[in-house]
Amino acid sequence: VQLQASGGGLVQAGGSLRLSCAASGRTFSSYGMGWFRQAPGKEREFVAHISRGGGVVYYADSVKGRFTISRDNGKNTVYLQMNSLKPEDTAVYYCAAQDSRRSRYDYDYWGQGTLVTVSS
């Protein structure tokens, strides 16, 4: 599967952005999907995960209550709605896919990143 993330940009603190990740192929619904981010000078970190059917989601504590992951299997797309953004959310955001049910932190395919910058 190939993944294409989009929707990043510059936003003021307190604002919102919605990231999208479009997947190629006809078996999107067979992949668990995740979002990760990497801030300058830091390691990549887990943000959110959604199960194949969308019924199970997980979030990092740092984004819980502010970010929402969702998916539309008919459109082969996973989303990350980000509200109440903080400067510390500034990072390159990556989407990822896993082709078997396992840890929310372990993925097989990665998209290119999309940059989110939150100004104070």
Side-chain angles (χ1 to χ4, degrees):
V1 62
Q2 292 186 324
L3 305 172
Q4 180 76 36
S6 62
L10 174 63
V11 63
Q12 289 188 333
S16 298
L17 279 176
R18 188 176 81 157
L19 305 184
S20 299
C21 176
S24 64
R26 297 174 291 177
T27 59
F28 178 70
S29 60
S30 67
Y31 296 99
M33 299 297 297
W35 286 97
F36 287 72
R37 67 186 182 185
Q38 187 167 19
K42 295 187 176 181
E43 294 187 352
R44 186 172 61 193
E45 65 175 357
F46 169 79
V47 174
H49 169 88
I50 188 166
S51 62
R52 291 177 286 183
V56 178
V57 296
Y58 297 104
Y59 297 98
D61 287 344
S62 58
V63 307
K64 203 171 294 183
R66 300 188 298 121
F67 290 12
T68 302
I69 188 171
S70 62
R71 66 189 297 161
D72 185 336
N73 287 343
K75 295 183 178 180
N76 284 11
T77 302
V78 63
Y79 304 98
L80 186 68
Q81 177 66 44
M82 306 185 295
N83 298 329
S84 302
L85 283 161
K86 305 175 182 180
E88 51 264 44
D89 294 318
T90 294
V92 177
Y93 284 71
Y94 299 89
C95 60
Q98 58 180 204
D99 59 12
S100 61
R101 187 180 292 120
R102 58 186 189 275
S103 167
R104 73 196 72 165
Y105 306 112
D106 186 17
Y107 294 81
D108 303 289
Y109 308 98
W110 294 84
Q112 95 297 347
T114 186
L115 176 62
V116 173
T117 304
V118 184
S119 63
S120 57

